[in-house]
Amino acid sequence: MSTIDTIAAPLPAQRSASKHRNRSAGYTALGVLFLCVMLFPVYWMVNASLQPSGNTLTASFFPWNPSFDGYRRAIADQGSNLVTSLIVSLGTVVFSLLVAAPAAYALAQFRFRWVNIALLAILISQMIPGIVIANALYAAYNDLGLLNSFAGLILADATHAIPFVILIMRSFMIAIPTSIVEAARVDGAGLIRAFVSIVLPISRNSLITAGLFAFLFSWSDFLFALTLSTTDEVRPVTLGIYQYLGTQVSNWSAVMATAVLSSLPAIVLLILAQKYIAAGATGGAVK
């Protein structure tokens, strides 16, 4: 009798474990299905870019005879626009971090009554429609001679990125122990030296995260590019694709190849920086 009880005892636990595995397998299959549905437009973009006919209506589900003519055409026509977007995006990242990092640290560590007012103003600035800012900048740029310039696009994209970067970095920097900075001040470092040598290295993860978002904001910008760029001299790739659609309606492989090329920098940066996005700002700073 005891032997039978010993054998039968694990059965409820086994049933529970089997039920849990089946449920996990079902959730996994459902997640994979949702992922396939969401990524199908990306796959079709790549598939269409490799079609030799350039027609998406008669494209096969898989490019059995891939052609890279669309990529050669895209690089020849849109290569300069890709370089322009890269320059503007990198410039936006540098300028946004230079402005937002000290501002975020001040809002995180300094205890003044005006801090909450400043945070409210930053939040309100995020709610202003981009078309309003673009129209105001166009009038100002026309007077200052900044239309169709790299500096003009960098400043315009930075107006969208800086408030968001400040909010992200402040959420990281508010957890930095003040004892670290005070120890540096006791050793003779000034405020600027302590900020550059102590705060910024500790905030590496937040800097990378904020810089990544600033890059993506600028890289995907269309409104400022359309409003503040009126010639071919400075034309980001988003505006290039928009104008490309009117001239390449019979050759969609070139259009899709341009879309694939414009997606690569964002994909590469997201893959390289994913481990820093969710990381803490003070990890390993204090033992």
Side-chain angles (χ1 to χ4, degrees):
M1 189 69 179
S2 60
T3 304
I4 296 176
D5 294 339
T6 304
I7 296 176
L11 291 180
Q14 292 176 359
R15 294 195 194 98
S16 178
S18 177
K19 185 177 180 180
H20 178 72
R21 285 194 297 268
N22 293 335
R23 184 179 300 176
S24 299
Y27 289 153
T28 302
L30 189 62
V32 171
L33 178 61
F34 287 156
L35 182 63
C36 292
V37 171
M38 290 186 293
L39 293 182
F40 180 77
V42 179
Y43 167 75
W44 195 254
M45 177 180 67
V46 177
N47 180 33
S49 68
L50 297 174
Q51 295 297 326
S53 63
N55 190 351
T56 58
L57 296 178
T58 60
S60 59
F61 189 79
F62 186 82
W64 300 106
N65 298 312
S67 174
F68 293 93
D69 292 337
Y71 286 91
R72 285 190 285 267
R73 183 69 177 273
I75 293 175
D77 295 343
Q78 301 288 340
S80 60
N81 296 336
L82 288 168
V83 174
T84 298
S85 290
L86 185 62
I87 294 174
V88 172
S89 298
L90 293 177
T92 301
V93 171
V94 173
F95 183 74
S96 298
L97 292 181
L98 286 177
V99 174
Y105 181 71
L107 293 174
Q109 297 295 328
F110 297 159
R111 309 300 180 188
F112 297 109
R113 294 181 178 178
W114 53 264
V115 169
N116 292 330
I117 299 176
L119 290 175
L120 179 61
I122 292 173
L123 290 175
I124 293 176
S125 67
Q126 290 286 93
M127 303 176 187
I128 300 176
I131 188 63
V132 177
I133 300 176
N135 290 333
L137 289 178
Y138 182 85
Y141 280 15
N142 190 34
D143 296 335
L144 297 174
L146 290 177
L147 291 176
N148 304 308
S149 64
F150 289 102
L153 287 178
I154 290 173
L155 291 175
D157 291 336
T159 60
H160 181 54
I162 286 177
F164 188 78
V165 172
I166 289 177
L167 294 177
I168 287 181
M169 296 195 66
R170 180 183 178 273
S171 65
F172 280 89
M173 290 184 174
I174 201 170
I176 297 178
T178 57
S179 59
I180 300 178
V181 180
E182 292 174 356
R185 296 296 306 278
V186 171
D187 291 338
L191 285 174
I192 298 178
R193 177 65 181 277
F195 176 74
V196 174
S197 301
I198 304 298
V199 177
L200 290 184
I202 294 175
S203 306
R204 180 190 63 176
N205 297 323
S206 64
L207 287 171
I208 295 175
T209 303
L212 176 62
F213 279 103
F215 182 91
L216 295 178
F217 287 155
S218 179
W219 185 264
S220 61
D221 170 64
F222 175 76
L223 182 61
F224 290 135
L226 180 64
T227 307
L228 305 176
S229 299
T230 58
T231 63
D232 297 339
E233 299 177 358
V234 180
R235 176 179 293 174
V237 69
T238 50
L239 186 58
I241 294 176
Y242 173 72
Q243 297 178 347
Y244 212 32
L245 294 175
T247 59
Q248 299 293 331
V249 291
S250 61
N251 186 16
W252 280 96
S253 61
V255 178
M256 293 300 178
T258 306
V260 172
L261 292 175
S262 63
S263 302
L264 288 179
I267 294 174
V268 172
L269 286 177
L270 285 172
I271 293 175
L272 294 178
Q274 61 179 343
K275 66 179 180 179
Y276 298 103
I277 294 177
T282 59
V286 182
K287 295 184 179 180

